[in-house]
Amino acid sequence: MTGSTVRQHPLSLSADDRARVEEVEQLARRGPESLPVLVDGLDAPSWAVRRAVVSALARLGTSAVEPLCDVLRHRRDNEARIAAAVDALVAATGDVEGPVEALGDDPNPAIVCDAAQVLGRRRARRSVPLLSRLIVHPDDNVAVAAIEALGRVGGGAAVDALLSSLGSGNFFRIFPAIDVLGRSGDPTVVPALMALLSDPFYVLEAARALGRTGQEAAVPALVGLLQRGNDAVVRVAAVALVEIHDAQVQRFGGARMVPSVLRSTSSEPHPTGRRMAQVIAGADAGEKTAVARLLGWVGGADAATGLLKLLDSQDLGVSRASAAALGELGAEADAQILQSLREGDSSRRRVLLPLVGKRSAAVPDVLLCLEDRDATVRALAAETLSRIGDTSAVPALFARLSDEDPRVSQAVVGAIQSLGSETTEALALEAARSTDARQRRAALRIVAYFGYPRGLDALLLAMRDPDERLRDAAIYGLPFIDDPRAVDALLAAASHESERTRATAMRALGQTDKQARITSTLLGGLNDRDPWVRYYACQSLGKLNEEAAADAIVALANDDAGQVRVAVVDALAHMHTESAMAALRRAASSSDADVRRAALLGLGVARRPDALPVLLEAVHSEDPATRLVALSAVAEYDAPETLPALLRAAGDRDDSVRSAAVGFLATRTGTHATQQLVSLLGDVMLREQVVSALALPVEGRLPGLLAALEVADDGTAPLLVAALARMRRADARAALMQSLVGASPAGRRAAAPAVAALGTVEAREALDRAAHRDEDPEVRRACLLALGR
């Protein structure tokens, strides 16, 4: 644009930066001889250039380590240079730990801090002794850096060192140690953290850390805080208990320890529910959400009262958590919910109606809501009456058929259809004679749904009405009444002067039985001047699987109307003639995206081997929606090409395609499919979905998981164990027991708490054996902790 300045994207490189980055790459290709120039580039003004320098130095490996350490020792006048040197050492290949450990003895605390940071980020287990010494360094900054580094490294020795720092008496060190210990998730830290709960100075941080451990051993102590702590302590303890519960559910499936312990304390003189309800006022949104969940687990009248207060929260998460908790209370909250329903305004009723239990006693209060001025409330009331299942509400529902709001009318019709009742037919036939058009249309839908033979006259009468919407309602019902007059009326409507009525009739004919006169009428509809008539005629021929019409349908493949072209493809998918399949293959490369996707779906339904190459090609389309459709079609094939295609799609750039690929992989049988799923655990974005997929007990899943556990590391082992625990089946429990002896050391450590959660005599015996006989000391330690020793 003349006279204007072109703005550059903030993430794009300038021409100068691109040239500098290319220069850095050329230097890197020359090898160690370029080290001095590359090191000088660590303080480049451009972030992009510095990143390129860091990457180049990291690739040079051991040869770059000493020069980088020299930067940390002697060239500390530039913060960007120091940060870049640290990053390069963290990413470097070769021998890094030895030279960096030597920095730990430097008299400059800042250099020692940098060394600790590098070792921690590299998760250098060999450096634990050095880091353990540094946590008692005279300089607090060094000690904190060492504490954080040990937390990154993890493992028994690192945890032991961190535990020792709790006795330092220096709160500048104790606070970060508490935080790091909590994030470690190591069960050995629980006793030490629980001991801090009695110290008013550390109780809040210790409670938070106990929540982060996710260990059930901390539950009784945290529940105790709910009774004796001040308001702030109670709120923090509530959050911690929810964190532990969620961690246990994620690891082992339906863990219920936290709810059961809370329930066991609710009979004390000062019930837990009442105490938690008292701390709501000063809580933030996260704390309110946690309190709501705990109130749902505790139960009782006090809990219901507190949850009703939380329902009015402006925070959607709090309101939803409160509603879910009230639903979990069930009958305990019914009386208060119904009272609030009677006395509340429309906004309160909108929240409460979905929580009403399936009890007939609630019907009178819900019927009141059918008269609410808010249409959303009236619609929810109809849905609630349907859920309750009491047919005494049917007459009142019929009285709302003519509601001015379409949502309400639709909800009322749905409720009547769900409830049925002995009076429904008579009331529907009476309403079908109403002078109110809305009520009459709704009544015809009910007659159509139930297929009342006595309702045919009402439908035929409506067919002669000038109101098109009324004729539509009647036409929809005719296919469901077993009477020749119904078909006659449909065939007559197929030639009606109204295009809308003809289209509706063509659609309804697809719901009838295949007859010559019906086929003839539908074939005639293919040539109608109205595209929607052609659309529904084509669609109905497909539904009736009228293969004799395949050629006539193919003739519409180039119809001017896009919806007709889509209907052609949809109809051909129901047919198995060669001409139909050939047309589908041609349509799969159409320039019309809708037609192309419909053809891919049709080819997938047919599952013909000769269509698979077309589908596999479409999986690489530039259009995400097309890739998704093609992938769903490929997933229908049991062919050698299917599994690799699904695995590649799991790395797709589009979220929906990736998610669908994992879902399709989840249902594939065989150990190889399980192995492919396990290979996806490294993708953080997919990890939770992959664990859920692995928990699906299809054929070959257990052998595949056990094989993966034999070589699992600290990262994948807990995820594989979680998948086994979530299955909650006898064979999965047996596999967990087997993994305690047959898995890798990391797998055996991860299996210990899961085996303990089984709660059986056999599980305790297996843990006891492993606690005394396993060759790995960390496994023995994990088993002893799981046994509570």
Side-chain angles (χ1 to χ4, degrees), residues 141 173 186 194 277 279 532 558 579 601 608 639 667 775 786:
N141 290 326
R173 306 183 183 197
D186 193 309
M194 287 196 300
V279 304
W532 286 108
N558 296 316
S579 61
L601 280 175
R608 287 171 58 110
T667 60
E775 61 185 17

Side-chain angles (χ1 to χ4, degrees), residues 449-755:
Y449 178 83
F450 288 107
Y452 293 132
R454 292 200 306 155
L456 179 58
D457 289 339
L459 296 176
L460 294 176
L461 179 63
M463 292 289 291
R464 299 191 293 271
D465 198 279
D467 186 335
E468 282 192 327
R469 291 181 296 173
L470 201 58
R471 291 200 302 272
D472 284 352
I475 290 171
Y476 287 138
L478 288 172
F480 304 108
I481 295 183
D482 188 14
D483 189 306
R485 291 181 297 160
V487 176
D488 292 341
L490 284 175
L491 294 173
S495 58
H496 197 279
E497 61 182 12
S498 165
E499 295 170 344
R500 173 172 173 167
T501 299
R502 294 200 307 277
T504 306
M506 292 294 176
R507 182 181 184 183
L509 285 170
Q511 306 288 333
T512 61
D513 297 326
K514 191 189 300 187
Q515 299 178 25
R517 58 179 184 154
I518 291 174
T519 300
S520 176
T521 299
L522 290 172
L523 285 170
L526 296 178
N527 298 313
D528 196 278
R529 64 179 181 275
D530 181 71
W532 286 108
V533 176
R534 301 196 299 276
Y535 172 86
Y536 284 118
C538 190
Q539 187 183 76
S540 291
L541 285 166
K543 288 181 178 179
L544 294 175
N545 196 20
E546 189 59 76
E547 293 189 357
D551 291 340
I553 292 172
V554 169
L556 290 177
N558 296 316
D559 194 279
D560 292 338
Q563 71 267 39
V564 177
R565 297 195 297 271
V566 172
V568 166
V569 174
D570 181 62
L572 293 175
H574 292 82
M575 301 175 184
H576 305 288
T577 65
E578 286 302 321
S579 61
M581 289 299 104
L584 281 177
R585 286 193 291 271
R586 288 194 300 272
S589 58
S590 169
S591 59
D592 186 315
D594 290 331
V595 171
R596 186 168 63 250
R597 288 192 286 268
L600 293 170
L601 280 175
L603 290 171
V605 170
R607 298 190 195 178
R608 287 171 58 110
D610 58 351
L612 184 57
V614 177
L615 296 170
L616 289 171
E617 182 181 354
V619 170
H620 300 288
S621 167
E622 287 298 315
D623 176 43
T626 300
R627 295 200 301 275
L628 186 59
V629 168
L631 191 68
S632 65
V634 168
E636 296 293 325
Y637 283 80
D638 186 15
E641 300 91 340
T642 301
L643 202 57
L646 294 177
L647 188 63
R648 284 194 299 273
D652 195 275
R653 58 187 179 275
D654 182 79
D655 290 342
S656 60
V657 177
R658 288 199 305 273
S659 180
V662 175
F664 293 135
L665 281 168
T667 60
R668 308 293 294 188
T669 59
T671 56
H672 186 52
T674 297
Q675 291 166 355
Q676 299 302 321
L677 273 171
V678 170
S679 71
L680 298 175
L681 287 172
D683 188 331
V684 177
M685 300 296 291
L686 290 175
R687 186 168 293 162
E688 177 55 32
Q689 189 184 358
V690 171
V691 173
S692 297
L694 287 170
L696 192 66
V698 299
E699 180 187 348
R701 183 71 84 232
L702 291 179
L705 287 173
L706 287 172
L709 276 167
E710 290 178 3
V711 295
D713 58 20
D714 288 326
T716 58
L719 304 173
L720 298 170
V721 168
L724 281 173
R726 290 187 195 183
M727 289 187 194
R728 303 179 66 80
R729 289 163 46 110
D731 52 357
R733 290 192 287 271
L736 275 175
M737 300 276 284
Q738 184 179 340
S739 67
L740 197 58
V741 294
S744 66
R748 300 199 300 278
R749 288 195 299 271
V755 171

Side-chain angles (χ1 to χ4, degrees), residues 74-283:
H74 305 300
R75 303 179 64 182
R76 303 190 63 83
D77 58 319
N78 185 295
E79 289 295 330
R81 181 194 300 128
I82 294 171
V86 168
D87 288 345
L89 285 168
V90 170
T93 58
D95 180 18
V96 178
E97 281 76 9
V100 173
E101 285 178 358
L103 298 176
D105 295 321
D106 196 281
N108 185 344
I111 295 173
V112 182
C113 286
D114 290 338
Q117 183 186 165
V118 170
L119 296 172
R121 288 172 61 185
R122 288 182 67 88
R123 291 176 170 79
R125 288 187 178 273
R126 60 161 277 179
S127 304
V128 169
L130 168 66
L131 295 171
S132 299
R133 292 200 313 272
L134 293 179
I135 64 174
V136 295
H137 193 279
D139 187 277
D140 284 337
N141 290 326
V142 171
V144 171
I147 287 169
E148 292 174 348
L150 285 169
R152 288 177 179 270
V153 175
V159 168
D160 288 342
L162 288 167
L163 288 171
S164 69
S165 68
L166 294 181
S168 67
N170 184 331
F171 70 90
F172 288 115
R173 306 183 183 197
I174 294 175
F175 271 109
I178 291 172
D179 177 65
V180 169
L181 286 168
R183 296 182 190 281
S184 73
D186 193 309
T188 62
V189 309
V190 172
L193 292 175
M194 287 196 300
L196 293 174
L197 294 179
S198 59
D199 189 325
F201 195 66
Y202 296 116
V203 59
L204 291 176
E205 197 63 28
R208 290 189 185 97
L210 285 168
R212 295 185 189 113
T213 67
Q215 299 297 322
E216 287 187 342
V219 171
L222 290 169
V223 170
L225 289 181
L226 298 179
Q227 290 293 344
R228 69 175 186 271
N230 59 35
D231 288 1
V233 170
V234 171
R235 291 192 286 266
V236 170
V239 173
L241 286 165
V242 168
E243 284 185 322
I244 291 175
H245 172 79
D246 290 347
Q248 293 297 307
V249 169
Q250 186 176 30
R251 292 175 192 166
F252 311 130
R256 298 290 295 175
M257 182 180 179
V258 174
S260 64
V261 173
L262 285 169
R263 286 276 185 177
S264 69
T265 65
S266 62
S267 59
E268 296 177 4
H270 302 288
T272 306
R274 184 180 308 166
R275 181 70 187 96
M276 285 192 293
Q278 293 169 351
V279 304
I280 291 172

